Amino acid sequence: MGEEVGPRTFTREDRARYREKIRHCLDVFAEMLRESRFDVDRPLTGMEIELNLVDDYSMPAMRNAEVLTAVADPQFQTELGQFNVEINVAPRQLAGTGTADFESDVRASLNSANLKARTVDTQLVMIGILPTLRSDHLTVDALSANPRYTLLNEQIFAARGENVAIRIAGVERLETTSDTITPEAACTSTQFHVQVSPAQFAAYWNAAQAIAGIQVALGANAPFLFGRELWRETRIPLFEQSTDTRPEEIKAQGVRPRVWFGERWITSVFDLFEENVRYFPALLPICDPEQPAATLARGDIPALSELRLHNGTVYRWNRPVYDVVHGRPHLRVENRVLPAGPTVVDTIANAAFYFGLVRSLAESDRPLWSQMSFSAAEENFHTCARQGIAAHVYWPGLGYLPVTELVLRRLLPLARTGLDRWGLAAAESDRLLGIIEQRCLTGRNGATWQVATLHDLERAGGLDRSAALCEVLRRYIPLMHSNQPVHEWPYPG
């Protein structure tokens, strides 16, 4: 998604050529699936973490170019906003101590990067939305220098023909508008990747969709936006609205949004790529000179550049990924539902829960999605984003129940079974799933800590909202660096 794209203007001929080329790519992809030309021997897992940059006053720091120069590490890349960067963690197998290796690598990289960022008066923060972010931070000047982001901004607003309206009704209410896509930059996430075979893909994607709400409830860490207390995971409605290319009249016609949960369980990875081509016009109609059919015919692996670029502009919460590494193609499920933070160990615990649970459900003899409607999974997703760890959800055979009870009674044992199948050491499973268990028992995650701290600062501390949110972040940052799980963070009183 961070692929470099030069500045340009698109013509009608560009769009017609791109439409023809992307359909050609889709045909070649279907042929590759039939011939099973994919790397399935040593499936890997991976993750990406988006980070915020703040100054010494806990305010957004528009310095990602300076920070990336100071960090000088290819793992770190630009993101949409100048107050964002992203770390791409090297993929690995989970067997043995894979999660501990993830944790040590991420901690070392972030600690090193933060020390270097301090040389340009900046700190890195893992959090879903910065509490100190204001609407006047999110102007077109906040876009990163990569021309891709300027192009996306232009194309989204050309499709809309009007400003973006952001309306979120939560504990408090927010109504505002934006003339850029920079509100999307407020949403900093953690993304998990699972490499799967074409035959396995549908089961893994369906399983990831079914548990998306559960993940959000446990990991919520974005309760504030522009000084308002909204949803426990406000990233979800904000991201859905800030990248919406549809004006109100088009929404009323039932046209699908580009930030999309989906509408059905699938039977093949092809279903998702085909839907992307069929439902969504190109935002960046840039054609690559490669002719994928000719490349495949001579025994090489096509990049399918148009299909991949288009896929990067359809923002599914669980997204299919086609990639080529060392001359071998592979498929991944990219899980995009969780916020960043609060700590590295919380992030790795979230990863262990996801990797274990999605494998257990995907390899179940009786698929969960044969017992559960797709609309129930989508309802769970938005309920959990709104209510967080206090949410009640629907689950087949159990009806509606507290999400914490579902996790403790049913899902933690399944996650443990899945981690056993990955070959993860039992001590690692115990350590990380124990963190998830304690979150459920205490009812505490990043969102609940932020909200409780804010309310105490306002009531007992007598601070106004703006000062209280600055203090919330000031207290959050050292606790984030402590790597103490969030359920152990000190609560007011």
Side-chain angles (χ1 to χ4, degrees):
M1 286 190 61
E3 184 178 335
E4 290 284 349
V5 174
R8 60 182 299 172
T9 301
F10 299 116
T11 65
R12 295 175 183 176
E13 290 75 16
D14 288 333
R15 295 186 181 280
R17 191 181 309 114
Y18 186 86
R19 179 177 286 112
E20 180 180 356
K21 184 74 180 292
I22 200 170
R23 289 174 176 169
H24 187 47
C25 286
L26 201 59
D27 291 340
V28 171
F29 183 59
E31 184 177 346
M32 293 177 69
L33 290 173
R34 287 192 296 270
E35 296 177 359
S36 300
R37 299 190 179 203
F38 290 87
D39 183 3
V40 297
D41 298 336
R42 299 176 67 249
L44 302 175
T45 57
M47 68 180 67
E48 304 165 63
I49 304 171
E50 296 168 355
L51 303 154
N52 285 284
L53 307 177
V54 299
D55 61 21
D56 291 337
Y57 302 97
S58 300
M59 303 304 289
M62 306 295 175
R63 298 178 190 147
N64 67 355
E66 297 168 68
V67 167
L68 290 173
T69 298
V71 171
D73 182 341
Q75 285 190 101
F76 287 82
Q77 298 181 356
T78 186
E79 256 296 330
L80 176 65
Q82 290 191 44
F83 59 98
N84 305 140
V85 294
E86 178 179 82
I87 178 173
N88 294 298
V89 185
R92 56 175 42 86
Q93 292 186 301
L94 287 183
T97 59
T99 50
D101 297 338
F102 267 133
E103 183 178 352
S104 61
D105 284 0
V106 172
R107 289 191 69 189
S109 294
L110 292 182
N111 288 340
S112 173
N114 198 61
L115 283 174
K116 293 172 182 175
R118 296 298 293 147
T119 66
V120 291
D121 300 319
T122 306
Q123 297 185 71
L124 307 181
V125 182
M126 293 194 302
I127 196 167
I129 296 175
L130 277 178
T132 54
L133 195 68
R134 300 191 308 261
S135 58
D136 59 8
H137 291 126
L138 300 180
T139 66
V140 70
D141 294 334
L143 287 173
S144 289
N146 185 339
R148 173 196 172 95
Y149 301 124
T150 301
L151 271 175
L152 271 176
N153 185 65
E154 292 170 354
Q155 294 302 306
I156 286 175
F157 278 88
R160 283 187 60 86
E162 62 189 40
N163 289 350
V164 170
I166 296 171
R167 301 185 183 96
I168 305 174
V171 177
E172 298 169 350
R173 179 179 291 272
L174 174 69
E175 290 195 18
T176 187
T177 61
S178 175
D179 59 1
T180 76
I181 61 170
T182 49
E184 178 192 338
C187 308
T188 40
S189 67
T190 298
Q191 295 136 38
F192 300 135
H193 293 253
V194 178
Q195 182 182 336
V196 295
S197 71
Q200 296 172 307
F201 189 95
Y204 272 80
W205 187 86
N206 289 342
Q209 289 286 100
I211 65 172
I214 314 304
Q215 289 179 268
V216 170
L218 297 178
N221 195 30
F224 308 124
L225 176 64
F226 301 161
R228 308 288 177 83
E229 180 185 346
L230 301 170
W231 291 19
R232 290 304 182 248
E233 189 50 38
T234 305
R235 273 178 52 257
I236 302 303
L238 177 59
F239 195 78
E240 290 175 343
Q241 294 178 37
S242 61
T243 54
D244 199 340
T245 58
R246 306 167 302 162
E248 293 298 329
E249 296 82 1
I250 297 299
K251 290 181 188 179
Q253 295 175 32
V255 173
R256 295 160 179 85
R258 293 191 90 96
V259 178
W260 200 28
F261 190 80
E263 60 191 15
R264 63 187 176 102
W265 306 119
I266 65 169
T267 58
S268 167
V269 62
F270 186 82
D271 295 348
L272 301 179
F273 283 101
E274 191 273 336
E275 283 181 349
N276 287 356
V277 172
R278 178 155 46 103
Y279 294 147
F280 301 104
L283 288 179
L284 302 174
I286 300 167
C287 286
D288 187 88
E290 179 189 61
Q291 295 301 315
T295 301
L296 190 64
R298 66 173 179 261
D300 294 329
I301 302 302
L304 304 182
S305 299
E306 294 80 8
L307 194 67
R308 291 167 63 195
L309 181 59
H310 185 59
N311 187 56
T313 64
V314 179
Y315 306 98
R316 295 178 184 270
W317 292 110
N318 284 291
R319 182 156 58 188
V321 176
Y322 166 86
D323 207 352
V324 182
V325 177
H326 304 309
R328 300 190 70 184
H330 70 259
L331 297 173
R332 305 195 302 270
V333 177
E334 181 188 25
N335 176 256
R336 301 159 45 81
V337 306
L338 284 174
T343 65
V344 173
V345 74
D346 282 304
T347 301
I348 303 303
N350 291 339
F353 180 73
Y354 170 73
F355 290 141
L357 184 56
V358 78
R359 179 159 187 171
S360 195
L361 292 175
E363 297 179 0
S364 172
D365 292 335
R366 188 183 178 200
L368 176 67
W369 47 98
S370 69
Q371 310 164 56
M372 182 181 190
S373 71
F374 194 87
S375 60
E378 184 173 14
E379 179 188 357
N380 282 350
F381 179 65
H382 285 101
T383 298
C384 289
R386 182 185 292 273
Q387 300 175 2
I389 203 164
H392 284 62
V393 295
Y394 172 79
W395 200 256
L398 298 176
Y400 284 91
L401 73 167
V403 68
T404 52
E405 183 181 340
L406 171 64
V407 172
L408 292 168
R409 285 175 51 187
R410 182 69 60 89
L411 301 188
L412 278 174
L414 289 174
R416 187 177 300 276
T417 298
L419 291 175
D420 288 345
R421 292 177 182 172
W422 283 110
L424 186 67
E428 271 298 284
S429 293
D430 291 344
R431 177 177 76 97
L432 296 171
L433 295 184
I435 291 172
I436 302 298
E437 179 183 46
Q438 287 303 310
R439 262 191 238 159
C440 292
L441 291 172
T442 60
R444 295 181 179 181
N445 60 15
T448 62
W449 183 89
Q450 289 189 59
V451 168
T453 302
L454 174 76
H455 290 173
D456 182 70
L457 289 167
E458 289 182 320
R459 286 194 301 261
L463 298 181
D464 64 21
R465 176 61 59 91
S466 179
L469 287 171
C470 283
E471 182 63 15
V472 168
L473 188 57
R474 192 190 68 80
R475 295 184 183 189
Y476 180 101
I477 291 172
L479 290 167
M480 176 195 75
H481 285 301
S482 76
N483 209 36
Q484 182 181 6
V486 70
H487 70 266
E488 297 178 359
W489 287 13
Y491 257 44

